[in-house]
Amino acid sequence: MNRRTRLLVLTPLAAASLVAGPTALAAVPPSAPAAEPAATCSVSGVLENGKVHLSGGGFTPGPAYYQGSAGFGGTTEVAENGGFQVLNVEPGQYSVRQGGELTQCS
């Protein structure tokens, strides 16, 4: 193929790829946002003093409310890293509420 024929054939193909490239990229759906880490909470084993510790992670910084099966509960402050600790509480099953979310402690 001579040079002029190549230019006549290749120029429209090159132009089409320049036009189609951005359009193809715009057609790709955006990826889903990363899921927020799930909040978790745990209760320590019973300590020598007969109490337990609560600890958790994956929460939003700010206040959170904990409630025990024996009616004991209170407020704790979740740190910037999403974690909290409540020391020396009565043994039992606990849950933590923050916003509209309830997390059962294990």
Side-chain angles (χ1 to χ4, degrees), residues 5 25 28 35 46 50 56 64 67 69-70 76 83 87 97 100:
T5 306
L25 289 176
V28 174
V46 178
Q67 180 70 40
S69 57
T76 186
L87 305 177
R97 181 175 300 278

Side-chain angles (χ1 to χ4, degrees), residues 39-93:
T40 59
C41 175
S42 62
V43 180
S44 73
V46 178
L47 305 171
E48 289 179 14
N49 64 1
K51 305 286 182 166
V52 296
H53 295 335
L54 300 178
S55 60
F59 290 87
T60 302
Y65 307 95
Y66 59 93
Q67 180 70 40
S69 57
F72 180 79
T75 304
T76 186
E77 190 67 24
V78 177
E80 288 297 318
N81 66 4
F84 74 88
Q85 284 190 335
V86 181
L87 305 177
N88 297 317
V89 295
E90 297 298 323
Q93 296 291 320

Side-chain angles (χ1 to χ4, degrees), residues 3-21:
R3 185 175 185 177
R4 183 176 179 153
T5 306
R6 278 190 299 214
L7 284 175
L8 287 174
V9 171
L10 295 178
T11 300
L13 292 175
S17 68
L18 290 174
V19 170

